[in-house]
Amino acid sequence: MQHSEWSPSGFKQIMLCPGSKVLQAGAPRATSSYAAEGTAAHALLTDCLNNGTAASEFLGMEIEADGMTFDVDDDMARHVQVCIDYVNDLVAQGGILLVDRRVHFGSYLGVPDEVAFGTLDVAVILGNELISIDFKYGRGVEVGAGEDVGGHGIGGGEVEITVKHPNPQLALYGLGILAEVKEIADIERVRLVISQPRISVKPSEYDLSVEELEAWGYGPARSAVGSCINAARSAVQFSADTEDWQAAYLTPGEEQCRFCKAKATCPALRDEVLSVVGISAAGPDEFADIKVPSAEHIKPADPAWLGAIYPKLDMIVDWTKAVLAEIERRNLAGDTVPGTKLVQGKLGNRAWSDKAAAEKMLREQFRLPVEKAYDLSVISPTTAEKLAKAGDIGPRQWKTAEALIVRAPGKPHVAPLSDPRPALVATPVINDFETVEDFS
């Protein structure tokens, strides 16, 4: 399959850190069960929209993705149907549906279309509006379609302006489908949409005029491509190992480092992490001799210090995980990393090699009664709900069952101020105690 040199999915990363494109060159394509499951869910969405069917009609079907097989269960069907319903509502208003389209946007970036393309999940032409929809099946990080950012005019004057910041991935998809349809449809506005139903039933939407979207393409997006090209040329001429190159083209940060394939070996991210934890070293030998300081250097009694470090914690944890994975990868490839070795891990859980033979042995040979030969427990509410949807439990019966279902409240945990959930009012533990007078 042809690879897009300027892929929409990784464009935000290179906008924030143009040098990352150089460091990732030649890195193997990584996949995971989560990514493969997302591919399977996308395939289900495409089939349903192309055939005008509900996702539930595919229950029990197997979908292969990235060498893995996934069953279309109730959970997948329910979440995919959320996006289907959103699209069907637009079509019902008279929208023209386009599904699973390869779109090209090289003309905006100043590069050939052959190296700048991506696959758009869904597009709908509704009157003079073009709606570009990206379906995301992940439940980890919520992704927004864009935001308006306030600013001042040229020279920092008093005139306030609104700067459009569309999600780069969606914006490229939008530009690609716009280039395809603007000659046959009178498009005035573009609506960028992210449907991420495992996090929110309501999609994230961002509206721009055609002029605003194209200005982003010819401006920030094309500028980012130029920075990446300059970074690549400079790396060849001056070497990516030089401090000047790193300072000019590498900008570590949580967003751009999260999915970077060069995370484990990036010198700028390494130095950023070390600076946060109060360590500096000129090279590996100096680093090996350094004693990691205690937690006292972050002044835990000072909330300002804790608040300053909090936004960087995920970046630090991700970096350490990536370094460990890279050490393991190199050792497995025979490129042993000094000071490390491969050892046999903990044994897996014990299991019967032949369940049927084990069952026969326990019941017939050992004559164990049912209650001792089997682990019997009542089904979960989730399983009971599936039985209700299948008709094994009637609607009235299910209402009776729902009265017995409870959910434990979520445990409090730290989140950034940008998190949309309301803040909890924490009561100091000391306030839970009453003062007892000593009458002795």
Side-chain angles (χ1 to χ4, degrees), residues 89-132:
D89 181 63
L90 295 173
V91 174
Q93 298 175 47
I96 300 172
L97 177 63
L98 304 172
V99 180
D100 199 35
R101 308 279 290 200
R102 170 171 285 198
V103 295
H104 298 265
F105 38 81
S107 59
Y108 294 100
L109 305 183
V111 297
D113 272 347
E114 293 75 25
V115 296
F117 58 86
T119 301
L120 173 63
D121 295 329
V122 188
V124 177
I125 302 173
L126 186 60
N128 62 1
E129 183 182 26
L130 176 62
I131 305 164
S132 176

mmCIF file of all heavy atoms in Angstrom, residues 89-132:
data_model
loop_
_atom_site.group_PDB
_atom_site.id
_atom_site.type_symbol
_atom_site.label_atom_id
_atom_site.label_comp_id
_atom_site.label_asym_id
_atom_site.label_seq_id
_atom_site.Cartn_x
_atom_site.Cartn_y
_atom_site.Cartn_z
ATOM 1 N N ASP A 89 -28.826 11.278 9.664
ATOM 2 C CA ASP A 89 -29.621 12.485 9.910
ATOM 3 C C ASP A 89 -29.272 13.574 8.895
ATOM 4 O O ASP A 89 -30.160 14.293 8.410
ATOM 5 C CB ASP A 89 -29.371 12.982 11.336
ATOM 6 C CG ASP A 89 -30.191 14.219 11.658
ATOM 7 O OD1 ASP A 89 -31.432 14.123 11.650
ATOM 8 O OD2 ASP A 89 -29.584 15.278 11.908
ATOM 9 N N LEU A 90 -28.007 13.689 8.547
ATOM 10 C CA LEU A 90 -27.586 14.676 7.549
ATOM 11 C C LEU A 90 -28.117 14.309 6.161
ATOM 12 O O LEU A 90 -28.574 15.167 5.407
ATOM 13 C CB LEU A 90 -26.061 14.765 7.505
ATOM 14 C CG LEU A 90 -25.374 15.283 8.780
ATOM 15 C CD1 LEU A 90 -23.859 15.147 8.654
ATOM 16 C CD2 LEU A 90 -25.749 16.730 9.052
ATOM 17 N N VAL A 91 -28.052 13.027 5.843
ATOM 18 C CA VAL A 91 -28.552 12.559 4.542
ATOM 19 C C VAL A 91 -30.056 12.771 4.443
ATOM 20 O O VAL A 91 -30.586 13.137 3.389
ATOM 21 C CB VAL A 91 -28.193 11.079 4.328
ATOM 22 C CG1 VAL A 91 -28.828 10.541 3.049
ATOM 23 C CG2 VAL A 91 -26.672 10.903 4.274
ATOM 24 N N ALA A 92 -30.758 12.571 5.561
ATOM 25 C CA ALA A 92 -32.207 12.753 5.571
ATOM 26 C C ALA A 92 -32.605 14.204 5.306
ATOM 27 O O ALA A 92 -33.718 14.493 4.863
ATOM 28 C CB ALA A 92 -32.773 12.294 6.915
ATOM 29 N N GLN A 93 -31.672 15.134 5.567
ATOM 30 C CA GLN A 93 -31.934 16.549 5.310
ATOM 31 C C GLN A 93 -31.642 16.921 3.857
ATOM 32 O O GLN A 93 -31.719 18.106 3.488
ATOM 33 C CB GLN A 93 -31.074 17.413 6.239
ATOM 34 C CG GLN A 93 -31.359 17.214 7.721
ATOM 35 C CD GLN A 93 -30.384 18.002 8.590
ATOM 36 O OE1 GLN A 93 -30.143 19.188 8.342
ATOM 37 N NE2 GLN A 93 -29.834 17.351 9.599
ATOM 38 N N GLY A 94 -31.306 15.914 3.065
ATOM 39 C CA GLY A 94 -31.012 16.165 1.662
ATOM 40 C C GLY A 94 -29.531 16.134 1.330
ATOM 41 O O GLY A 94 -29.141 16.547 0.223
ATOM 42 N N GLY A 95 -28.719 15.652 2.253
ATOM 43 C CA GLY A 95 -27.274 15.617 2.031
ATOM 44 C C GLY A 95 -26.859 14.534 1.048
ATOM 45 O O GLY A 95 -27.485 13.480 0.951
ATOM 46 N N ILE A 96 -25.785 14.814 0.324
ATOM 47 C CA ILE A 96 -25.203 13.849 -0.606
ATOM 48 C C ILE A 96 -24.058 13.142 0.120
ATOM 49 O O ILE A 96 -23.129 13.784 0.616
ATOM 50 C CB ILE A 96 -24.683 14.551 -1.875
ATOM 51 C CG1 ILE A 96 -25.831 15.277 -2.583
ATOM 52 C CG2 ILE A 96 -24.016 13.553 -2.820
ATOM 53 C CD1 ILE A 96 -25.364 16.148 -3.738
ATOM 54 N N LEU A 97 -24.104 11.812 0.182
ATOM 55 C CA LEU A 97 -23.171 11.036 0.994
ATOM 56 C C LEU A 97 -21.969 10.552 0.185
ATOM 57 O O LEU A 97 -22.111 10.019 -0.920
ATOM 58 C CB LEU A 97 -23.905 9.832 1.594
ATOM 59 C CG LEU A 97 -23.081 8.853 2.430
ATOM 60 C CD1 LEU A 97 -22.516 9.548 3.666
ATOM 61 C CD2 LEU A 97 -23.930 7.650 2.828
ATOM 62 N N LEU A 98 -20.780 10.736 0.759
ATOM 63 C CA LEU A 98 -19.530 10.220 0.198
ATOM 64 C C LEU A 98 -18.836 9.419 1.296
ATOM 65 O O LEU A 98 -18.647 9.927 2.406
ATOM 66 C CB LEU A 98 -18.618 11.360 -0.263
ATOM 67 C CG LEU A 98 -19.218 12.348 -1.273
ATOM 68 C CD1 LEU A 98 -18.283 13.525 -1.479
ATOM 69 C CD2 LEU A 98 -19.488 11.650 -2.601
ATOM 70 N N VAL A 99 -18.460 8.179 1.005
ATOM 71 C CA VAL A 99 -17.917 7.296 2.036
ATOM 72 C C VAL A 99 -16.547 6.773 1.643
ATOM 73 O O VAL A 99 -16.326 6.372 0.484
ATOM 74 C CB VAL A 99 -18.869 6.095 2.282
ATOM 75 C CG1 VAL A 99 -18.310 5.166 3.359
ATOM 76 C CG2 VAL A 99 -20.255 6.587 2.676
ATOM 77 N N ASP A 100 -15.623 6.780 2.609
ATOM 78 C CA ASP A 100 -14.308 6.157 2.459
ATOM 79 C C ASP A 100 -13.601 6.664 1.197
ATOM 80 O O ASP A 100 -13.278 5.902 0.289
ATOM 81 C CB ASP A 100 -14.463 4.632 2.404
ATOM 82 C CG ASP A 100 -13.161 3.905 2.714
ATOM 83 O OD1 ASP A 100 -12.397 4.385 3.548
ATOM 84 O OD2 ASP A 100 -12.914 2.842 2.091
ATOM 85 N N ARG A 101 -13.312 7.963 1.181
ATOM 86 C CA ARG A 101 -12.719 8.590 -0.011
ATOM 87 C C ARG A 101 -11.246 8.893 0.218
ATOM 88 O O ARG A 101 -10.862 9.453 1.244
ATOM 89 C CB ARG A 101 -13.426 9.905 -0.317
ATOM 90 C CG ARG A 101 -14.927 9.808 -0.396
ATOM 91 C CD ARG A 101 -15.406 9.295 -1.689
ATOM 92 N NE ARG A 101 -15.219 10.244 -2.772
ATOM 93 C CZ ARG A 101 -15.901 10.177 -3.909
ATOM 94 N NH1 ARG A 101 -16.797 9.216 -4.094
ATOM 95 N NH2 ARG A 101 -15.694 11.057 -4.870
ATOM 96 N N ARG A 102 -10.400 8.531 -0.741
ATOM 97 C CA ARG A 102 -9.012 8.985 -0.711
ATOM 98 C C ARG A 102 -8.991 10.409 -1.243
ATOM 99 O O ARG A 102 -9.456 10.677 -2.360
ATOM 100 C CB ARG A 102 -8.101 8.100 -1.553
ATOM 101 C CG ARG A 102 -6.701 8.705 -1.724
ATOM 102 C CD ARG A 102 -5.707 7.770 -2.371
ATOM 103 N NE ARG A 102 -5.260 6.752 -1.446
ATOM 104 C CZ ARG A 102 -4.155 6.020 -1.628
ATOM 105 N NH1 ARG A 102 -3.418 6.203 -2.709
ATOM 106 N NH2 ARG A 102 -3.816 5.102 -0.752
ATOM 107 N N VAL A 103 -8.468 11.313 -0.437
ATOM 108 C CA VAL A 103 -8.446 12.729 -0.811
ATOM 109 C C VAL A 103 -7.000 13.220 -0.863
ATOM 110 O O VAL A 103 -6.141 12.752 -0.116
ATOM 111 C CB VAL A 103 -9.274 13.583 0.171
ATOM 112 C CG1 VAL A 103 -10.745 13.212 0.095
ATOM 113 C CG2 VAL A 103 -8.775 13.422 1.605
ATOM 114 N N HIS A 104 -6.743 14.178 -1.761
ATOM 115 C CA HIS A 104 -5.407 14.731 -1.956
ATOM 116 C C HIS A 104 -5.427 16.222 -1.619
ATOM 117 O O HIS A 104 -6.373 16.931 -1.947
ATOM 118 C CB HIS A 104 -4.957 14.527 -3.399
ATOM 119 C CG HIS A 104 -4.859 13.082 -3.795
ATOM 120 N ND1 HIS A 104 -3.689 12.381 -3.744
ATOM 121 C CD2 HIS A 104 -5.815 12.207 -4.224
ATOM 122 C CE1 HIS A 104 -3.903 11.127 -4.139
ATOM 123 N NE2 HIS A 104 -5.187 11.003 -4.441
ATOM 124 N N PHE A 105 -4.369 16.697 -0.983
ATOM 125 C CA PHE A 105 -4.320 18.098 -0.554
ATOM 126 C C PHE A 105 -2.939 18.713 -0.790
ATOM 127 O O PHE A 105 -2.575 19.723 -0.185
ATOM 128 C CB PHE A 105 -4.689 18.206 0.932
ATOM 129 C CG PHE A 105 -4.147 17.078 1.772
ATOM 130 C CD1 PHE A 105 -2.836 17.089 2.226
ATOM 131 C CD2 PHE A 105 -4.948 16.000 2.085
ATOM 132 C CE1 PHE A 105 -2.332 16.048 2.980
ATOM 133 C CE2 PHE A 105 -4.456 14.938 2.852
ATOM 134 C CZ PHE A 105 -3.142 14.961 3.302
ATOM 135 N N GLY A 106 -2.139 18.108 -1.669
ATOM 136 C CA GLY A 106 -0.785 18.594 -1.915
ATOM 137 C C GLY A 106 -0.726 20.016 -2.439
ATOM 138 O O GLY A 106 0.228 20.746 -2.167
ATOM 139 N N SER A 107 -1.745 20.440 -3.193
ATOM 140 C CA SER A 107 -1.727 21.782 -3.772
ATOM 141 C C SER A 107 -1.714 22.858 -2.693
ATOM 142 O O SER A 107 -1.181 23.955 -2.903
ATOM 143 C CB SER A 107 -2.941 21.973 -4.692
ATOM 144 O OG SER A 107 -4.151 21.789 -3.968
ATOM 145 N N TYR A 108 -2.304 22.580 -1.543
ATOM 146 C CA TYR A 108 -2.307 23.543 -0.449
ATOM 147 C C TYR A 108 -0.954 23.555 0.269
ATOM 148 O O TYR A 108 -0.507 24.597 0.745
ATOM 149 C CB TYR A 108 -3.408 23.202 0.558
ATOM 150 C CG TYR A 108 -4.799 23.357 -0.005
ATOM 151 C CD1 TYR A 108 -5.517 22.249 -0.455
ATOM 152 C CD2 TYR A 108 -5.396 24.605 -0.103
ATOM 153 C CE1 TYR A 108 -6.790 22.377 -0.980
ATOM 154 C CE2 TYR A 108 -6.673 24.753 -0.626
ATOM 155 C CZ TYR A 108 -7.364 23.628 -1.059
ATOM 156 O OH TYR A 108 -8.621 23.767 -1.583
ATOM 157 N N LEU A 109 -0.306 22.416 0.341
ATOM 158 C CA LEU A 109 0.952 22.305 1.077
ATOM 159 C C LEU A 109 2.169 22.647 0.234
ATOM 160 O O LEU A 109 3.278 22.743 0.755
ATOM 161 C CB LEU A 109 1.110 20.880 1.628
ATOM 162 C CG LEU A 109 -0.019 20.348 2.504
ATOM 163 C CD1 LEU A 109 0.331 18.954 3.028
ATOM 164 C CD2 LEU A 109 -0.314 21.294 3.650
ATOM 165 N N GLY A 110 1.966 22.777 -1.068
ATOM 166 C CA GLY A 110 3.089 23.084 -1.932
ATOM 167 C C GLY A 110 3.912 21.870 -2.309
ATOM 168 O O GLY A 110 5.098 21.978 -2.634
ATOM 169 N N VAL A 111 3.288 20.692 -2.273
ATOM 170 C CA VAL A 111 3.964 19.444 -2.640
ATOM 171 C C VAL A 111 3.060 18.679 -3.605
ATOM 172 O O VAL A 111 1.861 18.970 -3.710
ATOM 173 C CB VAL A 111 4.261 18.575 -1.393
ATOM 174 C CG1 VAL A 111 5.211 19.295 -0.446
ATOM 175 C CG2 VAL A 111 2.964 18.199 -0.667
ATOM 176 N N PRO A 112 3.596 17.680 -4.333
ATOM 177 C CA PRO A 112 2.759 16.913 -5.256
ATOM 178 C C PRO A 112 1.641 16.165 -4.527
ATOM 179 O O PRO A 112 1.827 15.693 -3.402
ATOM 180 C CB PRO A 112 3.744 15.931 -5.903
ATOM 181 C CG PRO A 112 5.088 16.563 -5.726
ATOM 182 C CD PRO A 112 5.022 17.292 -4.430
ATOM 183 N N ASP A 113 0.495 16.044 -5.165
ATOM 184 C CA ASP A 113 -0.626 15.301 -4.591
ATOM 185 C C ASP A 113 -0.265 13.839 -4.330
ATOM 186 O O ASP A 113 -0.839 13.206 -3.432
ATOM 187 C CB ASP A 113 -1.835 15.356 -5.531
ATOM 188 C CG ASP A 113 -2.713 16.577 -5.266
ATOM 189 O OD1 ASP A 113 -2.523 17.228 -4.213
ATOM 190 O OD2 ASP A 113 -3.572 16.879 -6.105
ATOM 191 N N GLU A 114 0.684 13.316 -5.088
ATOM 192 C CA GLU A 114 1.040 11.906 -4.949
ATOM 193 C C GLU A 114 1.656 11.574 -3.591
ATOM 194 O O GLU A 114 1.709 10.420 -3.183
ATOM 195 C CB GLU A 114 2.030 11.488 -6.052
ATOM 196 C CG GLU A 114 1.453 11.494 -7.457
ATOM 197 C CD GLU A 114 1.289 12.903 -8.017
ATOM 198 O OE1 GLU A 114 2.021 13.812 -7.559
ATOM 199 O OE2 GLU A 114 0.407 13.107 -8.880
ATOM 200 N N VAL A 115 2.138 12.597 -2.873
ATOM 201 C CA VAL A 115 2.763 12.342 -1.566
ATOM 202 C C VAL A 115 1.967 12.959 -0.420
ATOM 203 O O VAL A 115 2.404 12.924 0.728
ATOM 204 C CB VAL A 115 4.214 12.870 -1.540
ATOM 205 C CG1 VAL A 115 5.071 12.126 -2.539
ATOM 206 C CG2 VAL A 115 4.267 14.379 -1.775
ATOM 207 N N ALA A 116 0.815 13.536 -0.731
ATOM 208 C CA ALA A 116 0.003 14.191 0.304
ATOM 209 C C ALA A 116 -1.448 13.770 0.149
ATOM 210 O O ALA A 116 -2.207 14.381 -0.597
ATOM 211 C CB ALA A 116 0.140 15.714 0.208
ATOM 212 N N PHE A 117 -1.819 12.725 0.819
ATOM 213 C CA PHE A 117 -3.187 12.218 0.698
ATOM 214 C C PHE A 117 -3.566 11.472 1.975
ATOM 215 O O PHE A 117 -2.741 11.183 2.836
ATOM 216 C CB PHE A 117 -3.325 11.285 -0.507
ATOM 217 C CG PHE A 117 -2.401 10.095 -0.466
ATOM 218 C CD1 PHE A 117 -2.752 8.927 0.202
ATOM 219 C CD2 PHE A 117 -1.165 10.139 -1.102
ATOM 220 C CE1 PHE A 117 -1.899 7.841 0.251
ATOM 221 C CE2 PHE A 117 -0.305 9.048 -1.067
ATOM 222 C CZ PHE A 117 -0.669 7.897 -0.388
ATOM 223 N N GLY A 118 -4.839 11.170 2.101
ATOM 224 C CA GLY A 118 -5.348 10.404 3.232
ATOM 225 C C GLY A 118 -6.724 9.873 2.889
ATOM 226 O O GLY A 118 -7.316 10.248 1.874
ATOM 227 N N THR A 119 -7.233 8.988 3.744
ATOM 228 C CA THR A 119 -8.558 8.411 3.510
ATOM 229 C C THR A 119 -9.563 9.021 4.474
ATOM 230 O O THR A 119 -9.451 8.852 5.694
ATOM 231 C CB THR A 119 -8.533 6.882 3.692
ATOM 232 O OG1 THR A 119 -7.588 6.319 2.776
ATOM 233 C CG2 THR A 119 -9.908 6.286 3.416
ATOM 234 N N LEU A 120 -10.520 9.738 3.922
ATOM 235 C CA LEU A 120 -11.573 10.381 4.709
ATOM 236 C C LEU A 120 -12.701 9.384 4.948
ATOM 237 O O LEU A 120 -13.168 8.733 4.011
ATOM 238 C CB LEU A 120 -12.094 11.608 3.963
ATOM 239 C CG LEU A 120 -13.317 12.317 4.550
ATOM 240 C CD1 LEU A 120 -13.013 12.875 5.934
ATOM 241 C CD2 LEU A 120 -13.766 13.431 3.607
ATOM 242 N N ASP A 121 -13.137 9.276 6.199
ATOM 243 C CA ASP A 121 -14.178 8.300 6.531
ATOM 244 C C ASP A 121 -15.504 8.637 5.854
ATOM 245 O O ASP A 121 -16.080 7.794 5.157
ATOM 246 C CB ASP A 121 -14.372 8.238 8.054
ATOM 247 C CG ASP A 121 -13.148 7.710 8.767
ATOM 248 O OD1 ASP A 121 -12.428 6.886 8.172
ATOM 249 O OD2 ASP A 121 -12.900 8.115 9.915
ATOM 250 N N VAL A 122 -15.995 9.852 6.075
ATOM 251 C CA VAL A 122 -17.316 10.226 5.553
ATOM 252 C C VAL A 122 -17.328 11.715 5.199
ATOM 253 O O VAL A 122 -16.722 12.530 5.899
ATOM 254 C CB VAL A 122 -18.434 9.967 6.592
ATOM 255 C CG1 VAL A 122 -19.807 10.167 5.954
ATOM 256 C CG2 VAL A 122 -18.325 8.589 7.210
ATOM 257 N N ALA A 123 -18.015 12.055 4.134
ATOM 258 C CA ALA A 123 -18.278 13.452 3.804
ATOM 259 C C ALA A 123 -19.733 13.570 3.365
ATOM 260 O O ALA A 123 -20.291 12.640 2.780
ATOM 261 C CB ALA A 123 -17.351 13.945 2.711
ATOM 262 N N VAL A 124 -20.336 14.704 3.676
ATOM 263 C CA VAL A 124 -21.714 14.969 3.262
ATOM 264 C C VAL A 124 -21.775 16.383 2.690
ATOM 265 O O VAL A 124 -21.289 17.331 3.311
ATOM 266 C CB VAL A 124 -22.699 14.837 4.447
ATOM 267 C CG1 VAL A 124 -24.112 15.189 3.991
ATOM 268 C CG2 VAL A 124 -22.662 13.437 5.041
ATOM 269 N N ILE A 125 -22.343 16.494 1.501
ATOM 270 C CA ILE A 125 -22.583 17.809 0.905
ATOM 271 C C ILE A 125 -24.031 18.167 1.203
ATOM 272 O O ILE A 125 -24.962 17.502 0.740
ATOM 273 C CB ILE A 125 -22.348 17.788 -0.620
ATOM 274 C CG1 ILE A 125 -20.921 17.340 -0.933
ATOM 275 C CG2 ILE A 125 -22.618 19.164 -1.212
ATOM 276 C CD1 ILE A 125 -20.664 17.131 -2.417
ATOM 277 N N LEU A 126 -24.223 19.203 1.995
ATOM 278 C CA LEU A 126 -25.568 19.615 2.409
ATOM 279 C C LEU A 126 -25.773 21.070 2.015
ATOM 280 O O LEU A 126 -25.343 21.984 2.727
ATOM 281 C CB LEU A 126 -25.729 19.421 3.920
ATOM 282 C CG LEU A 126 -27.115 19.670 4.509
ATOM 283 C CD1 LEU A 126 -28.145 18.733 3.891
ATOM 284 C CD2 LEU A 126 -27.097 19.497 6.030
ATOM 285 N N GLY A 127 -26.394 21.286 0.873
ATOM 286 C CA GLY A 127 -26.573 22.648 0.383
ATOM 287 C C GLY A 127 -25.220 23.247 0.061
ATOM 288 O O GLY A 127 -24.429 22.691 -0.708
ATOM 289 N N ASN A 128 -24.940 24.419 0.673
ATOM 290 C CA ASN A 128 -23.650 25.076 0.430
ATOM 291 C C ASN A 128 -22.624 24.733 1.509
ATOM 292 O O ASN A 128 -21.590 25.393 1.641
ATOM 293 C CB ASN A 128 -23.825 26.600 0.339
ATOM 294 C CG ASN A 128 -24.357 27.186 1.649
ATOM 295 O OD1 ASN A 128 -24.575 26.484 2.624
ATOM 296 N ND2 ASN A 128 -24.562 28.493 1.649
ATOM 297 N N GLU A 129 -22.924 23.695 2.309
ATOM 298 C CA GLU A 129 -22.028 23.280 3.386
ATOM 299 C C GLU A 129 -21.414 21.916 3.075
ATOM 300 O O GLU A 129 -22.092 20.986 2.635
ATOM 301 C CB GLU A 129 -22.785 23.204 4.726
ATOM 302 C CG GLU A 129 -21.888 22.847 5.908
ATOM 303 C CD GLU A 129 -22.670 22.727 7.216
ATOM 304 O OE1 GLU A 129 -23.876 22.425 7.153
ATOM 305 O OE2 GLU A 129 -22.064 22.921 8.285
ATOM 306 N N LEU A 130 -20.113 21.813 3.309
ATOM 307 C CA LEU A 130 -19.399 20.543 3.170
ATOM 308 C C LEU A 130 -19.062 20.042 4.567
ATOM 309 O O LEU A 130 -18.419 20.754 5.357
ATOM 310 C CB LEU A 130 -18.116 20.738 2.350
ATOM 311 C CG LEU A 130 -17.216 19.512 2.198
ATOM 312 C CD1 LEU A 130 -17.927 18.386 1.470
ATOM 313 C CD2 LEU A 130 -15.934 19.890 1.465
ATOM 314 N N ILE A 131 -19.498 18.839 4.899
ATOM 315 C CA ILE A 131 -19.296 18.276 6.240
ATOM 316 C C ILE A 131 -18.306 17.112 6.132
ATOM 317 O O ILE A 131 -18.572 16.125 5.444
ATOM 318 C CB ILE A 131 -20.624 17.793 6.842
ATOM 319 C CG1 ILE A 131 -21.635 18.942 6.839
ATOM 320 C CG2 ILE A 131 -20.415 17.266 8.266
ATOM 321 C CD1 ILE A 131 -23.066 18.499 7.051
ATOM 322 N N SER A 132 -17.162 17.257 6.766
ATOM 323 C CA SER A 132 -16.094 16.253 6.733
ATOM 324 C C SER A 132 -16.053 15.551 8.090
ATOM 325 O O SER A 132 -15.844 16.194 9.124
ATOM 326 C CB SER A 132 -14.755 16.934 6.429
ATOM 327 O OG SER A 132 -13.698 16.004 6.480
#
